[in-house]
Coordinates of all heavy atoms in Angstrom, one line a residue:
S85 N -3.7 6.7 -10.8 CA -4.1 6.6 -9.4 C -3.4 5.4 -8.7 O -3.0 5.5 -7.6 CB -5.6 6.5 -9.3 OG -6.0 5.3 -10.0
G86 N -3.3 4.2 -9.5 CA -2.6 3.1 -8.9 C -1.2 3.4 -8.5 O -0.6 2.9 -7.6
V87 N -0.5 4.2 -9.4 CA 0.9 4.6 -9.1 C 1.1 5.5 -8.0 O 2.0 5.4 -7.2 CB 1.6 5.1 -10.4 CG1 2.9 5.7 -10.2 CG2 1.5 4.1 -11.5
M88 N 0.1 6.5 -7.9 CA 0.2 7.6 -6.9 C -0.2 7.2 -5.5 O 0.1 7.9 -4.5 CB -0.5 8.8 -7.4 CG 0.1 9.4 -8.7 SD 1.8 9.6 -8.7 CE 2.0 11.0 -7.5
K89 N -1.1 6.2 -5.4 CA -1.6 5.9 -4.0 C -0.5 5.5 -3.0 O -0.7 6.0 -1.8 CB -2.6 4.7 -4.1 CG -4.0 5.2 -4.7 CD -4.9 4.0 -4.8 CE -6.3 4.5 -5.3 NZ -7.2 3.4 -5.5
P90 N 0.5 4.9 -3.4 CA 1.6 4.6 -2.4 C 2.3 5.8 -1.9 O 3.1 5.8 -1.0 CB 2.5 3.6 -3.1 CG 1.7 3.0 -4.2 CD 0.8 4.1 -4.6
V91 N 2.1 6.9 -2.7 CA 2.9 8.2 -2.3 C 2.4 8.7 -0.9 O 3.3 9.3 -0.2 CB 2.6 9.3 -3.4 CG1 3.2 10.6 -2.9 CG2 3.2 8.8 -4.7
L92 N 1.1 8.4 -0.5 CA 0.7 8.9 0.7 C 1.4 8.3 2.0 O 2.0 9.1 2.8 CB -0.9 8.7 0.9 CG -1.5 9.2 2.2 CD1 -1.3 10.7 2.4 CD2 -3.0 8.9 2.2
P93 N 1.4 7.0 2.1 CA 2.2 6.5 3.3 C 3.7 6.8 3.1 O 4.3 7.0 4.2 CB 1.9 5.0 3.2 CG 1.5 4.7 1.8 CD 0.7 5.9 1.4
L94 N 4.2 6.8 1.9 CA 5.6 7.1 1.7 C 5.9 8.5 2.2 O 6.9 8.8 2.8 CB 6.0 6.9 0.3 CG 7.5 7.3 -0.1 CD1 8.5 6.4 0.7 CD2 7.7 7.1 -1.6
S95 N 5.0 9.4 1.8 CA 5.2 10.8 2.3 C 5.2 11.0 3.8 O 6.0 11.8 4.3 CB 4.1 11.7 1.6 OG 4.1 11.6 0.2
V96 N 4.4 10.3 4.4 CA 4.3 10.3 5.9 C 5.7 9.8 6.5 O 6.2 10.5 7.4 CB 3.2 9.4 6.5 CG1 3.3 9.4 8.0 CG2 1.8 10.0 6.1
Y97 N 6.2 8.7 5.9 CA 7.4 8.2 6.4 C 8.6 9.2 6.1 O 9.4 9.5 6.9 CB 7.8 6.9 5.7 CG 7.3 5.6 6.4 CD1 6.0 5.6 7.0 CD2 8.1 4.5 6.6 CE1 5.6 4.5 7.7 CE2 7.7 3.4 7.2 CZ 6.4 3.4 7.8 OH 6.0 2.3 8.5
V98 N 8.6 9.8 4.9 CA 9.6 10.8 4.5 C 9.6 11.9 5.4 O 10.7 12.4 5.8 CB 9.4 11.1 3.0 CG1 10.3 12.3 2.7 CG2 9.8 10.0 2.1
G99 N 8.4 12.5 5.7 CA 8.3 13.6 6.6 C 8.8 13.3 8.0 O 9.6 14.1 8.6
L100 N 8.6 12.1 8.5 CA 9.1 11.8 9.8 C 10.6 11.5 9.8 O 11.3 11.9 10.7 CB 8.4 10.5 10.3 CG 6.9 10.7 10.6 CD1 6.2 9.3 10.9 CD2 6.7 11.6 11.8
L101 N 11.1 11.0 8.7 CA 12.5 10.8 8.6 C 13.3 12.1 8.5 O 14.4 12.3 9.1 CB 12.8 9.8 7.4 CG 12.5 8.4 7.5 CD1 12.6 7.7 6.2 CD2 13.4 7.7 8.5
I102 N 12.8 13.0 7.7 CA 13.4 14.3 7.6 C 13.4 15.1 8.9 O 14.3 15.8 9.2 CB 12.7 15.1 6.5 CG1 12.9 14.5 5.1 CG2 13.2 16.6 6.5 CD1 14.4 14.5 4.7
S103 N 12.4 14.8 9.7 CA 12.3 15.5 11.0 C 13.4 15.0 12.0 O 13.7 15.7 12.9 CB 10.9 15.3 11.6 OG 9.9 15.8 10.8
Q104 N 14.0 13.8 11.7 CA 14.9 13.3 12.7 C 16.3 14.0 12.7 O 16.8 14.1 13.9 CB 15.1 11.8 12.4 CG 13.9 11.0 12.6 CD 14.1 9.5 12.4 OE1 15.2 9.1 12.1 NE2 13.1 8.7 12.4
P105 N 17.0 14.5 11.8 CA 16.8 14.2 10.3 C 17.6 13.0 9.9 O 18.7 12.7 10.4 CB 17.4 15.5 9.7 CG 18.5 15.9 10.6 CD 18.0 15.5 12.1
D106 N 17.1 12.4 8.8 CA 17.8 11.2 8.3 C 17.7 11.2 6.8 O 16.8 10.5 6.2 CB 17.2 9.9 8.8 CG 18.2 8.7 8.7 OD1 19.0 8.8 7.8 OD2 18.1 7.7 9.4
F107 N 18.5 12.0 6.1 CA 18.3 12.2 4.7 C 18.7 11.0 3.9 O 18.1 10.7 2.9 CB 19.2 13.4 4.2 CG 18.9 13.8 2.8 CD1 17.7 14.4 2.4 CD2 20.0 13.7 1.9 CE1 17.6 14.7 1.0 CE2 19.9 14.1 0.6 CZ 18.6 14.5 0.1
G108 N 19.8 10.3 4.4 CA 20.2 9.1 3.7 C 19.2 8.0 3.6 O 18.9 7.5 2.5
V109 N 18.5 7.7 4.7 CA 17.4 6.7 4.7 C 16.3 7.1 3.8 O 15.6 6.3 3.2 CB 17.0 6.3 6.1 CG1 15.8 5.4 6.1 CG2 18.1 5.7 6.9
T110 N 16.0 8.4 3.8 CA 14.9 9.0 3.0 C 15.1 8.7 1.6 O 14.3 8.2 0.8 CB 14.8 10.5 3.2 OG1 14.5 10.7 4.6 CG2 13.7 11.1 2.4
V111 N 16.4 9.0 1.1 CA 16.7 8.7 -0.3 C 16.6 7.2 -0.7 O 16.1 6.8 -1.7 CB 18.1 9.2 -0.6 CG1 18.6 8.8 -2.1 CG2 18.2 10.8 -0.5
V112 N 17.2 6.3 0.2 CA 17.1 4.9 0.0 C 15.7 4.5 -0.1 O 15.3 3.7 -1.0 CB 17.9 4.2 1.1 CG1 17.6 2.7 1.0 CG2 19.4 4.5 1.0
L113 N 14.8 4.9 0.9 CA 13.4 4.5 0.9 C 12.7 4.9 -0.3 O 11.8 4.1 -1.0 CB 12.8 5.0 2.1 CG 11.4 4.4 2.5 CD1 11.5 2.9 2.7 CD2 10.8 5.0 3.8
M114 N 12.9 6.1 -0.8 CA 12.2 6.7 -2.0 C 12.6 5.9 -3.2 O 11.7 5.5 -4.0 CB 12.5 8.2 -2.2 CG 11.9 9.1 -1.2 SD 12.4 10.8 -1.3 CE 11.8 11.2 -2.9
C115 N 13.9 5.6 -3.4 CA 14.4 4.9 -4.6 C 13.8 3.5 -4.5 O 13.5 2.9 -5.5 CB 15.9 4.8 -4.5 SG 16.6 6.5 -4.9
T116 N 13.8 2.9 -3.3 CA 13.3 1.5 -3.2 C 11.8 1.4 -3.6 O 11.4 0.5 -4.4 CB 13.4 1.0 -1.7 OG1 14.8 1.0 -1.4 CG2 12.8 -0.4 -1.5
V117 N 11.0 2.3 -3.1 CA 9.5 2.2 -3.5 C 9.4 2.5 -5.0 O 8.6 1.8 -5.7 CB 8.7 3.3 -2.7 CG1 7.3 3.4 -3.2 CG2 8.8 2.9 -1.2
M118 N 10.1 3.5 -5.6 CA 10.0 3.7 -7.0 C 10.4 2.5 -7.8 O 9.9 2.1 -8.8 CB 10.8 4.9 -7.4 CG 10.2 6.2 -7.0 SD 11.0 7.7 -7.8 CE 12.6 7.6 -7.0
G119 N 11.5 1.8 -7.3 CA 12.0 0.7 -8.0 C 11.0 -0.5 -8.0 O 10.8 -1.2 -9.0
M120 N 10.4 -0.7 -6.9 CA 9.4 -1.8 -6.7 C 8.2 -1.5 -7.6 O 7.7 -2.4 -8.3 CB 8.9 -1.9 -5.2 CG 10.0 -2.4 -4.3 SD 9.5 -2.4 -2.6 CE 8.1 -3.6 -2.6
V121 N 7.7 -0.3 -7.6 CA 6.5 0.1 -8.5 C 6.9 -0.1 -10.0 O 6.1 -0.6 -10.8 CB 6.0 1.5 -8.2 CG1 4.9 1.9 -9.1 CG2 5.5 1.6 -6.7
F122 N 8.1 0.3 -10.3 CA 8.5 0.2 -11.7 C 8.6 -1.3 -12.1 O 8.2 -1.6 -13.2 CB 9.9 0.8 -11.9 CG 10.5 0.6 -13.3 CD1 9.9 1.3 -14.4 CD2 11.6 -0.2 -13.5 CE1 10.5 1.1 -15.7 CE2 12.1 -0.4 -14.7 CZ 11.5 0.2 -15.8

């Protein structure tokens, strides 16, 4: 649960970024959050 809770705000950001669309920033942001949690 501690690992998955940040997924909610990240999912909101990812959804908004894909709507622009901005796939590059989406990938960078997802990798950044995963790296920080790791």
Side-chain angles (χ1 to χ4, degrees):
S85 63
V87 174
M88 298 308 294
K89 284 180 181 178
V91 172
L92 179 59
L94 177 62
S95 300
V96 174
Y97 269 45
V98 167
L100 293 172
L101 287 169
I102 291 298
S103 300
Q104 294 182 5
D106 198 339
F107 187 68
V109 172
T110 301
V111 172
V112 170
L113 193 58
M114 291 174 62
C115 292
T116 297
V117 172
M118 284 193 293
M120 292 175 67
V121 176
F122 174 70

